[in-house]
Amino acid sequence: MARGELRIYLGAAPGVGKTYSMLEEAHRRAERGTDVVVALVETHGREHTAAMIGDLEVVPRKRIGYRGVELEEMDLDAVLARKPEVAVVDELAHTNVPGSRHPKRWQDVQELLDAGISVLTTVNVQHLESLNDVVAQITGVEQRETVPDAVVRKAEQVELVDMTPEALRRRMAHGNIYLPEKIDAALGNYFRTGNLTALRELALLWLADKVDDQLDKYRADHRIDATWETRERVVVALTGGPEGGTLIRRAARIAARNKGADLLAVHVARNDGLAGADPAELAKQRVLVESLGGTYHQVVGPDVPQALLDFARGVNATQIVLGASSRGRFAQIITAGVGVTVTAMSGTIDVHLVTHERVRGAFSRRVPPALSLSRRVSGYALVLLGLPALTALLHLAPPIDLTNDLLIFLAAVVGIALVGGLWPALLAAVVGSLLLNWFFTPPFGKFTIAERDNLLALAIFVVVALAVSWVVDTAARKTRQAARASAEAQTLSTIAGGVIRGERLLERLRETFGLDSVTLLSHGSVINCVGDPCTDAQAADAEVRVDEEYTLLLKGHPLEASDRRIVEAFAAQAALALKQERLSAEAAAAKPLAEADRMRTALLAAVSHDLRTPLASAKAAVAGLLSEDVHFDADDRRELLETANISLDRLDRLVSNLLDMSRLQAGALGMTTIDIGLEEIVPRALDDLGGAVVTRLPADLPAVRADPGLLERILVNVIGNALRYSPPGRPPLVTGSTLGDVVELRVIDHGPGIPEERWDDVFLPFQRLGDQDNHTGVGLGLALSRGLTEAMGGTLTPSATPGGGLTMILSLPAGTPA
């Protein structure tokens, strides 16, 4: 059975017309004869959206009971049983009512798709998982309902429903999105022009990435290698040399000239693992690339130009930035070089060869000797002493033919190549050919050859000797480089593992290279040291410059040139680790400020909405009393005064909670703790509430150490919350007990309760879980109560009530025994 197709209507914010556009598409398909049903559409009271459903078949919703309330959800089983060709399912990121088959609506949609039913759905950009935190930072509102990006990216079609911020705000002002009482708050908070502009840009950029993915898939499916210049992509090639920073900045400037251009840095490593790139330089250049908004990549290939072009074509690059080679003319005659080869083979990709005084070619580095000095000296000694000795031995021995003499000298040349490397072997080949010519080729004693066969044999000897010498020397060089590369790789893997495990890199550096001390300086000041600190570069045995800020001083013994690269990699990783720690510390320090800012934003948002009702009630009551147009009798006047009094009391509690929460967040809440009995505080709280509450406090319950005023505020909030949710005829119960040096007060209700996984959510400011009335407070009660309790050294924790309901356990330190 073929899987259904998913079409998503993406919007930057509520009200842009996603649902309307989705229903228009549903009508178009129905008019073409497609079997379309409306599985679920959320109209949110919008008349035009509701009217757009028209004559489309609507599958009745399923009613699910939750916490004493019946809620409606999409009837997944009914839609599967109906099995239409297309189902319309609104709000993909919606969280289903507990008790549904799936916790999320997008999972319902996946089941419909698996059943072969195509789906039309909607989603806002703020509900995409990858953008959730970004949207929260922009708008100050965290969206708890999200959908994984992978679900949306796998959709066959994603259509952006776009609207300018000004047009959307006009729709809001005309009452086409929210109810009139919510318009002012929405326009002043979430629907600010800046917020809507940022959300619109996020939606456009996210959809552009989705289109890029579709284009890449199309090109891959149709084997299209040619560059399609749909977006500028600048690739900068790095060799690990000091010119890399210049190339990266030049490429970044090229990318910056084109809005939305991508910057990609790539280092091509030889597939034999023997490339001489400096890991410390590459680490610095990677940090630079990422700081400029680019990405770093590393590819492996035997042919550097071809590997670079393969990468560029694979990412659909439009421009390549290379460093101009500084090789000499003779070297350029032998090989064209990376820059010239890439330019010749690039096709439609533009190539920039950047010149700089430090720019060098990929192969301009001096090749170090393959063997040690002692082995090369031994090789030359064998040539000067061994070959004459071999000649004398063969001359004194019984005569053999020239072929055997050639083989014996060839074996000697191979042996010399194994001992001394290429140049001693080349000298041995030349000297050996001369000795063979003089002593063993007729006419003897002359550098002439009488027979043509002997000339050919001697020529073959020279060629074979030279070839074997080259192969043996190359093998020795590769073996040595491979051993060195293996040691460096093992050391670098140790560095990486140390960074991941949080080990002290400087200690590991001292152990690895047998140093006495390692000191890391920042602008001349010691920030980390292993061993005796060293602050003078003249007194150090080695100085490694990490960057403009950090310097590494080493004492113990001078470093070999080959070891310096590894030390630079150590230094680069140590500096990166320190910067990461510093950024983490700064982020940790900024988190409370951000939280306080978020709290202030939420406070302002809450005050703008929730203070309106009590203020309006009090104002209306007072205005009625002052009016001379209407005559009120005594009962009416008393009722108006009571209304004003109740509204002002409510306003007083609300403002007190807001101020206490602000002081609590700022750490400026004053308190005076004394020993006080709960039998004295609980009745005060109940007098303020006025509801029916059962109390069972033991007579021997010890006093608690608390601030009386704050404790009364806590009890009013906690018991008031229990009263709000207790069913008729089952009032809350307040009991007390002791547990060691702690007194526990339990406030027990038999209401609908809260799922255990959401217990922590009830203590978040501005949360009113399961509250049917979201217009009677800002949801600060329990958040403030926990904060006040913890400020007094206690705890406030929820627990499940046996038989259903919620129990709040208030634990406070017991008072001093009498």
Side-chain angles (χ1 to χ4, degrees):
M1 179 175 56
R3 179 179 168 87
E5 293 187 356
L6 178 62
R7 180 166 183 168
I8 297 176
Y9 290 84
L10 175 68
V16 296
K18 302 181 302 299
T19 303
Y20 196 90
S21 299
M22 176 182 64
L23 290 172
E24 283 184 330
E25 175 63 20
H27 279 289
R28 280 193 292 270
R29 297 197 182 192
E31 291 170 359
R32 294 195 298 264
T34 304
D35 184 15
V36 181
V37 301
V38 175
L40 188 140
V41 167
E42 299 287 359
T43 63
H44 298 289
R46 300 166 191 164
E47 297 179 359
H48 298 294
T49 303
M52 193 61 195
I53 297 176
D55 58 354
L56 292 174
E57 179 183 348
V58 179
V59 177
R61 301 188 186 188
K62 183 178 181 180
R63 302 183 68 85
I64 301 175
Y66 176 65
R67 297 175 60 179
V69 180
E70 280 198 349
L71 302 175
E72 293 184 343
E73 288 289 1
M74 179 179 69
D75 194 337
L76 179 60
D77 292 325
V79 178
L80 291 171
R82 171 64 175 75
K83 198 170 178 56
E85 294 180 66
V86 177
V88 177
V89 182
D90 206 1
E91 296 189 359
L92 185 64
H94 172 76
T95 299
N96 291 332
V97 175
S100 302
R101 183 183 308 174
H102 302 296
K104 294 287 188 176
R105 185 168 292 166
W106 64 263
Q107 295 170 317
D108 295 339
V109 169
Q110 292 296 314
E111 186 169 346
L112 293 176
L113 296 173
D114 292 338
I117 302 173
S118 296
V119 174
L120 305 178
T121 188
T122 64
V123 70
N124 280 329
V125 69
Q126 65 264 31
H127 296 299
L128 296 175
E129 184 66 44
S130 64
L131 300 177
N132 184 256
D133 56 340
V134 179
V135 174
Q137 182 181 3
I138 293 171
T139 64
V141 179
E142 182 179 358
Q143 300 290 339
R144 297 188 177 275
E145 294 185 330
T146 60
V147 58
D149 286 49
V151 174
V152 184
R153 288 190 180 277
K154 288 181 181 179
E156 282 71 20
Q157 297 181 67
V158 178
E159 180 177 330
L160 179 65
V161 182
D162 191 27
M163 182 176 290
T164 64
E166 293 76 14
L168 185 58
R169 285 173 59 85
R170 284 196 299 271
R171 287 201 67 204
M172 172 69 71
H174 293 158
N176 294 329
I177 300 177
Y178 288 159
L179 297 176
E181 61 268 19
K182 296 184 178 181
I183 292 176
D184 291 341
L187 289 175
N189 293 282
Y190 194 88
F191 281 78
R192 294 196 300 267
T193 302
N195 288 356
L196 297 177
T197 303
L199 293 174
R200 189 186 187 200
E201 182 176 10
L202 284 177
L204 291 169
L205 291 175
W206 191 95
L207 188 61
D209 289 338
K210 163 72 174 175
V211 174
D212 278 342
D213 293 341
Q214 291 177 329
L215 179 61
D216 291 342
K217 183 178 184 301
Y218 178 85
R219 284 164 49 85
D221 292 342
H222 292 78
R223 303 181 183 276
I224 299 174
D225 296 328
T227 300
W228 287 5
E229 298 185 14
T230 55
R231 181 194 291 192
E232 289 289 339
R233 287 184 174 86
V234 182
V235 172
V236 53
L238 304 177
T239 64
E243 78 281 359
T246 302
L247 300 180
I248 292 170
R249 293 184 180 91
R250 176 62 172 161
R253 289 195 295 272
I254 294 173
R257 295 171 188 158
N258 301 277
K259 184 69 174 177
D262 295 331
L263 174 64
L264 302 93
V266 60
H267 169 66
V268 180
R270 305 268 311 221
N271 60 357
D272 54 11
L274 304 178
D278 189 340
E281 283 290 341
L282 286 177
K284 296 178 189 176
Q285 292 165 14
R286 178 171 189 165
V287 172
L288 177 59
V289 169
E290 293 174 350
S291 68
L292 294 173
T295 57
Y296 177 86
H297 309 267
Q298 184 162 324
V299 297
V300 178
D303 187 348
V304 174
Q306 188 61 51
L308 176 59
L309 287 171
D310 289 343
F311 173 81
R313 293 191 179 103
V315 298
N316 201 24
T318 56
Q319 303 186 60
I320 298 177
V321 177
L322 291 166
S325 175
S326 61
R327 300 184 308 147
R329 293 183 179 180
F330 180 74
Q332 294 179 11
I333 293 174
I334 298 176
T335 57
V338 175
V340 175
T341 305
V342 169
T343 303
M345 300 170 57
S346 62
T348 58
I349 303 177
D350 296 335
V351 179
H352 303 265
L353 292 178
V354 180
T355 59
H356 191 273
E357 60 181 3
R358 294 190 299 178
V359 170
R360 58 169 176 79
F363 306 103
S364 64
R365 184 176 301 158
R366 179 182 176 271
V367 179
L371 302 175
S372 64
L373 178 61
S374 61
R375 289 187 60 177
R376 283 178 283 148
V377 171
S378 299
Y380 286 118
L382 287 174
V383 173
L384 299 177
L385 300 176
L387 289 183
L390 178 61
T391 302
L393 181 62
L394 290 175
H395 194 70
L396 296 174
I400 56 177
D401 59 16
L402 180 60
T403 302
N404 291 326
D405 292 331
L406 290 172
L407 291 176
I408 292 173
F409 268 84
L410 182 60
V413 172
V414 172
I416 292 172
L418 291 173
V419 174
L422 176 61
W423 294 108
L426 294 178
L427 180 60
V430 174
V431 173
S433 64
L434 294 176
L435 290 174
L436 285 168
N437 189 4
W438 184 270
F439 289 103
F440 303 103
T441 305
F444 301 109
K446 296 181 180 180
F447 289 113
T448 58
I449 302 174
E451 298 181 9
R452 181 180 301 175
D453 292 342
N454 292 341
L455 176 63
L456 179 61
L458 196 59
I460 293 175
F461 164 76
V462 174
V463 172
V464 172
L466 293 176
V468 171
S469 302
W470 180 271
V471 170
V472 171
D473 180 81
T474 302
R477 185 186 305 278
K478 295 293 186 183
T479 301
R480 183 175 183 182
Q481 290 179 344
R484 181 71 187 177
S486 176
E488 290 182 358
Q490 185 175 1
T491 304
L492 291 174
S493 68
T494 302
I495 298 174
V499 173
I500 294 174
R501 295 187 297 270
E503 295 178 357
R504 298 180 60 187
L505 292 180
L506 299 188
E507 181 66 34
R508 181 60 63 88
L509 176 61
R510 187 179 72 164
E511 293 175 357
T512 302
F513 294 97
L515 300 169
D516 295 334
S517 69
V518 180
T519 306
L520 184 63
L521 304 178
S522 175
H523 299 301
S525 302
V526 178
I527 60 172
N528 203 349
C529 178
V530 177
D532 297 330
C534 177
T535 58
D536 186 6
Q538 300 296 328
D541 292 306
E543 178 185 8
V544 177
R545 190 79 177 175
V546 181
D547 53 23
E548 293 79 4
E549 180 180 359
Y550 295 106
T551 304
L552 199 64
L553 299 182
L554 313 175
K555 287 187 67 175
H557 58 78
L559 288 177
E560 297 182 6
S562 57
D563 291 337
R564 189 176 183 87
R565 293 173 55 245
I566 304 299
V567 173
E568 288 176 348
F570 259 107
Q573 293 297 333
L576 288 175
L578 288 171
K579 289 179 180 178
Q580 186 176 8
E581 290 178 4
R582 185 174 62 190
L583 291 175
S584 299
E586 292 175 355
K591 186 176 181 180
L593 297 177
E595 182 66 22
D597 185 65
R598 188 188 70 81
M599 178 65 65
R600 283 192 295 271
T601 302
L603 282 172
L604 292 174
V607 167
S608 67
H609 181 272
D610 291 275
L611 294 185
R612 183 179 293 117
T613 301
L615 281 174
S617 298
K619 181 176 176 57
V622 173
L625 292 172
L626 294 176
S627 175
E628 297 179 356
D629 298 333
V630 182
H631 175 71
F632 296 100
D633 56 23
D635 293 337
D636 292 336
R637 293 177 63 84
R638 180 174 181 81
E639 183 178 352
L640 288 174
L641 289 172
E642 288 178 351
T643 300
N645 185 53
I646 293 172
S647 298
L648 292 174
D649 285 343
R650 179 181 165 195
L651 184 62
D652 178 67
R653 287 194 299 270
L654 181 59
V655 172
S656 297
N657 280 345
L658 291 171
L659 293 177
D660 284 347
M661 179 59 74
S662 297
R663 287 194 290 264
L664 192 62
Q665 291 286 329
L669 183 66
M671 67 179 67
T672 302
T673 58
I674 61 174
D675 291 349
I676 187 168
L678 291 176
E679 70 280 0
E680 180 181 350
I681 293 295
V682 172
R684 289 191 208 167
L686 297 181
D687 289 341
D688 290 341
L689 293 170
V693 178
V694 179
T695 59
R696 295 176 184 170
L697 299 178
D700 58 348
L701 193 66
V704 297
R705 190 75 181 174
D707 182 292
L710 296 183
L711 180 56
E712 183 179 346
R713 177 72 59 79
I714 294 170
L715 293 177
V716 168
N717 284 329
V718 174
I719 299 175
N721 194 67
L723 278 169
R724 185 180 300 115
Y725 293 106
S726 293
R730 302 195 69 182
L733 172 65
V734 179
T735 66
S737 61
T738 57
L739 182 63
D741 56 352
V742 173
V743 177
E744 291 187 347
L745 188 70
R746 296 174 180 266
V747 179
I748 305 168
D749 71 64
H750 299 280
I754 297 175
E756 184 175 353
E757 63 270 12
R758 303 207 64 186
W759 281 353
D760 290 337
D761 294 346
V762 302
F763 297 105
L764 296 176
F766 316 108
Q767 301 297 317
R768 300 175 61 82
L769 300 186
D771 197 347
Q772 300 176 36
D773 177 13
N774 287 319
H775 305 285
T776 58
V778 293
L780 279 176
L782 292 180
L784 178 61
S785 298
R786 170 175 274 189
L788 296 177
T789 303
E790 292 176 349
M792 293 188 296
T795 60
L796 182 62
T797 57
S799 177
T801 301
L806 186 70
T807 298
M808 300 299 295
I809 305 173
L810 173 64
S811 301
L812 291 170
T816 305

